[in-house]
Amino acid sequence: MKKQITYLSIIISILLVSCNNHTSMNSITSGEIIKPKAPKAVGPPRILFIGNSHTEYYVSIPTLFQELCNANNKNVNVQQLITMGVSLDKVYYTNKTEANQNFSNIDKDGNYYDYVILQESTPIALTNLSMYRDNLKLFAEKIHKNSPDAAIYVYQNIPPLSYKNSEYDSYYKELRKNAILAAAFIKNAGLLKVGDAVKDAYQGKNGYIYLTNNKDNLRDGKNTLYLINDGGFLQAVLLYATIFDEKPIIPKKLILSTGTGDNDNMRKQEVTKAISNPKALEEIAFSNR
């Protein structure tokens, strides 16, 4: 399950971005985020996840989302294009044959894909708005050929820093602003507010406590912080609430990580034992839909 990726050079480049550049930008309010409208599907709607290890690493967001849908009698078809440690353009070129085949498929209702989640790499989302826009446009143009009305959600990245770091809030604001500005150039696109939800969890909304014995319950990693069980659960519930505009019934067991070591993997586990406070995380997710 463990994928050996070295992100140290990437994170160093991010940390060299001037704090003054961040604080000089005005944050954009949630009122300016428009929710995309999904097409009316004939049969199970299709949702496509496109991204890297923030979509699937210790936990799999597509898998968790599929499990939530199954538990709530939501018949959906979940697909993914995932490549570890790269930006969106490289996700495409790494999976070009498969991607082009998928994007050439047609459906009788006029939209092969009904929902698409586009998750850009953190360095691009933070420091290169022009490339961010171009990479989103690369996929949007290909998707729209046979899914002209697909609802596209741009993934709001999480700061690549510990919440204890004094720069966390500056990075959060910049990532949020860039995600909104990049999404504005894409037809029928909105924001999957992962960064907002994670920040709320860090701030203790709904009684959630992110630290246990000085260990972060949301993310883990040495050079890169990846979502672990609490964070993955939060993200999956957020997506469910965002798409269906309702809270999911949480099943007793979900496929979650047994740990963060090289010999750990994902398997079915009791939610009440594997997640520190599922009720609080569910409320945080719903409030950010």
Side-chain angles (χ1 to χ4, degrees):
M1 191 276 289
K2 286 287 292 174
K3 296 95 175 173
Q4 300 302 321
I5 304 172
T6 302
Y7 272 34
L8 183 58
S9 60
I10 296 175
I11 297 304
I12 290 175
S13 68
I14 293 174
L15 295 176
L16 291 176
V17 176
S18 169
C19 177
N20 290 332
N21 289 340
H22 293 175
T23 55
S24 65
M25 298 288 189
N26 293 324
S27 61
I28 299 178
T29 66
S30 60
E32 295 176 68
I33 302 172
I34 298 174
K35 186 172 182 177
K37 183 179 180 180
K40 185 173 179 59
V42 176
R46 291 185 185 88
I47 178 168
L48 175 63
F49 291 83
I50 303 174
N52 59 37
S53 46
H54 294 290
T55 297
E56 180 166 319
Y57 191 69
Y58 291 126
V59 290
S60 170
I61 308 310
T63 298
L64 288 172
F65 176 75
Q66 179 77 76
E67 287 190 293
L68 290 177
C69 290
N70 293 346
N72 288 268
N73 296 315
K74 304 285 190 185
N75 192 7
V76 298
N77 185 320
V78 176
Q79 299 179 17
Q80 63 184 67
L81 287 173
I82 305 295
T83 301
M84 301 295 137
V86 300
S87 55
L88 278 174
D89 58 325
K90 293 182 180 177
V91 173
Y92 172 71
Y93 290 113
T94 301
N95 303 280
K96 190 173 182 178
T97 300
E98 179 185 358
N100 287 341
Q101 178 59 55
N102 289 346
F103 298 149
S104 68
N105 290 331
I106 59 175
D107 201 349
K108 60 184 178 181
D109 63 16
N111 290 279
Y112 187 75
Y113 289 111
D114 301 282
Y115 301 93
V116 179
I117 313 301
L118 292 175
Q119 181 249 305
E120 181 57 278
S121 68
T122 303
I124 299 301
L126 180 62
T127 66
N128 195 332
L129 180 57
S130 177
M131 187 173 180
Y132 196 179
R133 290 171 174 168
D134 288 345
N135 287 350
L136 294 178
K137 185 178 179 181
L138 169 69
F139 274 104
E141 288 180 345
K142 296 181 181 300
I143 289 164
H144 284 153
K145 287 181 179 179
N146 288 308
S147 304
D149 303 312
I152 294 178
Y153 283 94
V154 175
Y155 182 105
Q156 179 197 359
N157 293 61
I158 310 165
L161 307 169
S162 165
Y163 184 65
K164 295 179 179 179
N165 191 298
S166 61
E167 295 299 303
Y168 185 95
D169 194 54
S170 294
Y171 279 67
Y172 158 77
K173 290 178 180 177
E174 189 76 357
L175 284 165
R176 190 176 196 276
K177 173 182 67 65
N178 286 350
I180 297 171
L181 291 175
F185 282 77
I186 306 301
K187 172 188 170 184
N188 197 28
L191 207 63
L192 180 63
K193 298 190 287 184
V194 179
D196 287 354
V198 169
K199 187 180 182 187
D200 281 351
Y202 276 133
Q203 290 181 329
K205 297 290 179 66
N206 299 100
Y208 180 75
I209 299 173
Y210 84 93
L211 278 180
T212 301
N213 296 324
N214 207 36
K215 181 172 177 58
D216 189 334
N217 288 318
L218 293 166
R219 300 185 297 164
D220 186 81
K222 294 181 180 178
N223 299 324
T224 301
L225 295 171
Y226 298 104
L227 293 171
I228 50 179
N229 287 345
D230 277 21
F233 176 83
L234 173 62
Q235 185 169 313
V237 176
L238 170 64
L239 179 58
Y240 183 98
T242 299
I243 288 179
F244 299 115
D245 199 28
E246 64 185 33
K247 297 176 184 177
I249 296 171
I250 306 299
K252 291 183 178 180
K253 292 184 177 182
L254 288 170
I255 296 177
L256 297 161
S257 177
T258 58
T260 58
D262 290 341
N263 296 323
D264 286 299
N265 52 32
M266 288 179 275
R267 63 174 175 79
K268 283 275 190 182
Q269 297 180 68
E270 292 185 30
V271 172
T272 55
K273 293 181 179 179
I275 307 296
S276 68
N277 191 338
K279 185 61 179 176
L281 291 170
E282 181 184 357
E283 293 297 331
I284 291 169
F286 189 70
S287 66
N288 282 284
R289 70 193 188 283

